[in-house]
Structure formats: structure tokens, C-alpha cells
Amino acid sequence: MHCFADQLTNALQQRIGNYNIQLKTEPNIPIANETTKITLRIASVNGDEIVDLPVIIRITKDNVVLSNST
């Protein structure tokens, strides 16, 4: 897993609780049976540093887990 702190360009943005979440995929529209790179950025809405925030990523399709970060 790689970690970066830069703002993502052309990313989907959403606020969840006290966090701003950005999600970007390459290619922009994922293709079935092809590799897709997922970039996720989590930032505090008030600019505080985020330290020791546990994150679990689970990708599902029709309630079937396709991939899990743990």
C-alpha cells in the first residue's frame, strides 16, 4: 500500500463525518476483468493531521466481497 498527501485531481469527493474523502480510478471507468488502480485520499475537514486512523477497504459486487484490504 502506498501513501501520498497530495490533492487528487478529477476525483470524486465526499464529506463523511469530519473527513473529506476523494476517490479516483484509473482508468476513469473501470472495465470488467481488467486491472483498475484505485487512489483514495482521506483528509480532516478542519486541517488537522490524521494520525493512526484505521482504514479498511472492501470492494463488493452484489454483496459478494471481491477484494479486501485486510
Side-chain angles (χ1 to χ4, degrees):
M1 182 177 288
H2 302 284
C3 297
F4 303 98
D6 295 334
Q7 183 84 2
L8 299 178
T9 57
N10 299 324
L12 174 70
Q13 298 185 46
Q14 183 174 356
R15 180 176 176 173
I16 300 174
N18 290 328
Y19 302 103
N20 286 326
I21 311 296
Q22 291 183 302
L23 176 77
K24 182 177 181 178
T25 61
E26 291 180 31
N28 288 336
I29 300 173
I31 301 168
N33 300 316
E34 297 288 330
T35 300
T36 300
K37 179 180 176 183
I38 299 172
T39 306
L40 180 68
R41 179 177 182 263
I42 303 171
S44 170
V45 295
N46 58 7
D48 291 340
E49 281 190 42
I50 298 176
V51 179
D52 297 327
L53 176 69
V55 175
I56 297 172
I57 300 169
R58 182 178 302 139
I59 300 172
T60 63
K61 179 180 178 184
D62 299 328
N63 292 324
V64 175
V65 177
L66 302 175
S67 183
N68 198 336
S69 66
T70 57

